[in-house]
Amino acid sequence: MLGYILRRLLQVIPVFFGATLLIYFLVFAMPGDPILALFGDKTPNPAVIEQLRAQYHLDQPFLVQYWYYITGVFQGDLGTTYSGRPVSAVLAATLPVTGRLAVMAIGIEFFLAIVIGTISALRKGKFFDNVSLMIALVAIAIPIFVVAFLAQYFLAIQLGWFKPTVGADNDWGGLWLPAIVLGFSLYAVSMRLMRSSVIDTLNQDWVRTAYSKGLSRNRVLPVHVLRNSLIPVITNSATNFGVLLVGATVTEGIFNVPGVGNTLFQAIQRGEGPTVVSFVTVFVILYVLVNLVIDLLYGLLDPRIRYA
């Protein structure tokens, strides 16, 4: 087990350098001058422009810029935005907001997937199963911005159950509406996976053996069926969690969530290489660690899984 964990952690090193180098190159290759963009329609002093370019090493070749960035990262410095704010401060302000939103959305997705998927599997071919599959297809087909606008109009404006926008009220209570939108948009795939997995598990020999030993349905379903059916759902939810951490840009924009998605989108527009690369670097490490935890969780759900 320890050797497996160490090997997975060592895999972070090439992923780290590959991701930072690739993203930094893509930002470097973007057209336009990010320093001129800071001044908008104004005509800046050429001396000021040269000073700012030298300050952010934009007058250096690509590899030299990357070297300055990567050495700063190993010294605990993620760089500075072109507005003069440390990237670490921006990340510290936005990542918790997106983290709360992602946890709430995954929780809603996971709950709906397990409950609806299990009931659909147990009632295969019946009315509830057919309706749940139709709703899942609708959830997959409708773009998330349509779901967001509908939820904002009906649940917030018409019914008044939630605030239409988040803004500064970005604690757990203020993020319910965008979390519901994201959870509903994500649950359909997990629900179908849960349904298929439960149907497959119900036909396994160990389930029939458990029933033949006289175990009740209330004992067989949670211990023998649900436990072994959760692996594909957990895998899909872990992938969704990584995607949400990168930033649900559309949802955050519609609900004015001051999270990672909005900040990263604005940084890309301004061509802020250090901000974009630092954000992506943190996300890559978080994503790898989350998937490591999920892989280790497989062993708890299925005792047949062993890590050499």
Side-chain angles (χ1 to χ4, degrees):
M1 174 72 76
L2 181 59
Y4 174 80
I5 295 175
L6 291 176
R7 286 197 303 270
R8 288 296 301 269
L9 292 177
L10 288 175
Q11 292 175 2
V12 177
I13 297 176
V15 172
F16 168 80
F17 283 104
T20 54
L21 183 62
L22 177 61
I23 297 301
Y24 209 98
F25 173 76
L26 292 176
V27 176
F28 178 84
M30 288 177 61
D33 190 337
I35 297 299
L36 290 177
L38 290 175
F39 295 90
D41 297 331
K42 298 180 181 179
T43 304
N45 189 319
V48 175
I49 295 179
E50 293 302 323
Q51 180 183 354
L52 289 174
R53 284 175 177 164
Q55 177 181 346
Y56 293 104
H57 309 295
L58 297 179
D59 56 344
Q60 302 289 334
F62 163 70
L63 291 179
V64 176
Q65 292 186 36
Y66 179 74
W67 172 255
Y68 277 115
Y69 169 75
I70 207 69
T71 52
V73 169
F74 284 110
Q75 294 173 4
D77 181 13
L78 296 178
T80 306
T81 66
Y82 294 156
S83 61
R85 189 179 180 190
V87 174
S88 57
V90 177
L91 191 62
T94 57
L95 187 58
V97 179
T98 299
R100 288 193 293 268
L101 180 61
V103 169
M104 294 173 68
I106 292 299
I108 294 172
E109 174 214 2
F110 204 66
F111 175 79
L112 292 176
I114 292 177
V115 174
I116 299 177
T118 302
I119 297 176
S120 295
L122 297 176
R123 298 178 176 272
K124 180 183 176 182
K126 297 183 179 180
F127 178 77
F128 183 90
D129 183 35
N130 295 329
V131 172
S132 62
L133 289 176
M134 289 178 59
I135 294 176
L137 289 175
V138 172
I140 295 174
I142 299 180
I144 191 169
F145 66 88
V146 176
V147 178
F149 281 127
L150 290 175
Q152 193 176 49
Y153 178 74
F154 288 105
L155 299 182
I157 297 176
Q158 293 294 322
L159 298 177
W161 292 352
F162 306 95
K163 292 183 178 180
T165 57
V166 176
D169 185 19
N170 51 54
D171 55 2
W172 294 96
L175 294 171
W176 270 111
L177 187 56
I180 290 173
V181 170
L182 288 171
F184 175 77
S185 300
L186 295 174
Y187 102 96
V189 175
S190 295
M191 188 279 289
R192 292 168 66 90
L193 287 173
M194 186 68 186
R195 176 183 179 274
S196 300
S197 185
V198 170
I199 292 175
D200 181 67
T201 305
L202 287 172
N203 295 321
Q204 297 298 319
D205 292 337
W206 71 77
V207 175
R208 289 192 288 266
T209 301
Y211 278 122
S212 66
K213 289 182 177 180
L215 296 180
S216 65
R217 191 178 188 182
N218 293 334
R219 174 69 177 174
V220 173
L221 284 180
V223 176
H224 297 279
V225 177
L226 293 184
R227 181 177 175 181
N228 290 279
S229 302
L230 284 175
I231 289 181
V233 181
I234 289 177
T235 302
N236 185 66
S237 297
T239 304
N240 290 335
F241 184 76
V243 173
L244 291 175
L245 275 182
V246 172
T249 306
V250 175
T251 305
E252 289 189 0
I254 293 174
F255 292 100
N256 191 28
V257 179
V260 168
N262 274 335
T263 306
L264 190 58
F265 178 70
Q266 294 169 7
I268 293 173
Q269 285 186 317
R270 293 191 296 264
E272 291 188 0
T275 305
V276 177
V277 180
S278 296
F279 272 51
V280 172
T281 301
V282 173
F283 299 151
V284 167
I285 295 174
L286 288 175
Y287 189 76
V288 171
L289 293 179
V290 167
N291 278 272
L292 174 60
V293 173
I294 296 302
D295 287 348
L296 297 177
L297 187 60
Y298 290 165
L300 297 177
L301 295 174
D302 191 344
R304 296 172 300 176
I305 297 177
R306 293 290 183 267
Y307 299 103

